[in-house]
Amino acid sequence: MGYLSYFVMGGVLGALSWAVCPVVSGQFEPFDTLIGFVIGQALMLAFAIYTGWTKRVMLLFLLVAGMYVGQNVYAYIFSPAFGSSDTREWFLLGLVTSVFLCILPLVGGGVARWIVVCSQRARK
């Protein structure tokens, strides 16, 4: 898989991390529902750890960048208030706060990559 496919896969995962929230709790945002937040984070974290463990760090960054974009596109397009002035007012704040949803997957994937690199150096 190429660079673009990791970015697109991250976008799909980011959108799914938001899409799961109304399914399990009736709330739209991961920040409003603990179970939706945990499921979304676990989903993104699992793929980030796998990517960090098996692929290069650049692909991990592309995956997490795609997650960020996917979260924001989903939140803007499928917002219950889509098209209203309320959505436009909160959009910039959403761009900032959704960064926090990408920290755990980035750290988890980075730690997985670090473990792989350290174990390869220890074998030499």
Side-chain angles (χ1 to χ4, degrees):
M1 291 191 342
Y3 292 123
L4 181 61
S5 59
Y6 276 89
F7 185 80
V8 170
M9 184 172 50
V12 170
L13 288 169
L16 283 174
S17 74
W18 276 64
V20 73
C21 294
V23 173
V24 298
S25 72
Q27 298 293 325
F28 179 69
E29 296 184 21
F31 299 111
D32 295 337
T33 167
L34 180 62
I35 187 73
F37 175 80
V38 170
I39 292 171
Q41 287 292 293
L43 178 71
M44 292 189 301
L45 180 62
F47 278 89
I49 289 173
Y50 173 77
T51 302
W53 190 265
T54 61
K55 307 295 179 194
R56 298 186 316 264
V57 74
M58 176 56 95
L59 295 176
L60 174 64
F61 286 140
L62 286 170
L63 182 78
V64 174
M67 289 175 184
Y68 173 76
V69 170
Q71 290 169 4
N72 288 295
V73 167
Y74 181 87
Y76 188 73
I77 290 176
F78 294 105
S79 171
F82 179 68
S84 71
S85 61
D86 190 41
T87 301
R88 290 187 295 275
E89 291 171 6
W90 286 97
F91 184 68
L92 290 176
L93 181 61
L95 290 175
V96 174
T97 57
S98 62
V99 168
F100 295 110
L101 296 173
C102 296
I103 291 173
L104 185 61
L106 182 61
V107 169
V111 167
R113 186 77 223 147
W114 178 74
I115 290 170
V116 168
V117 169
C118 288
S119 66
Q120 288 173 348
R121 286 186 184 166
R123 283 188 226 153
K124 290 182 181 180

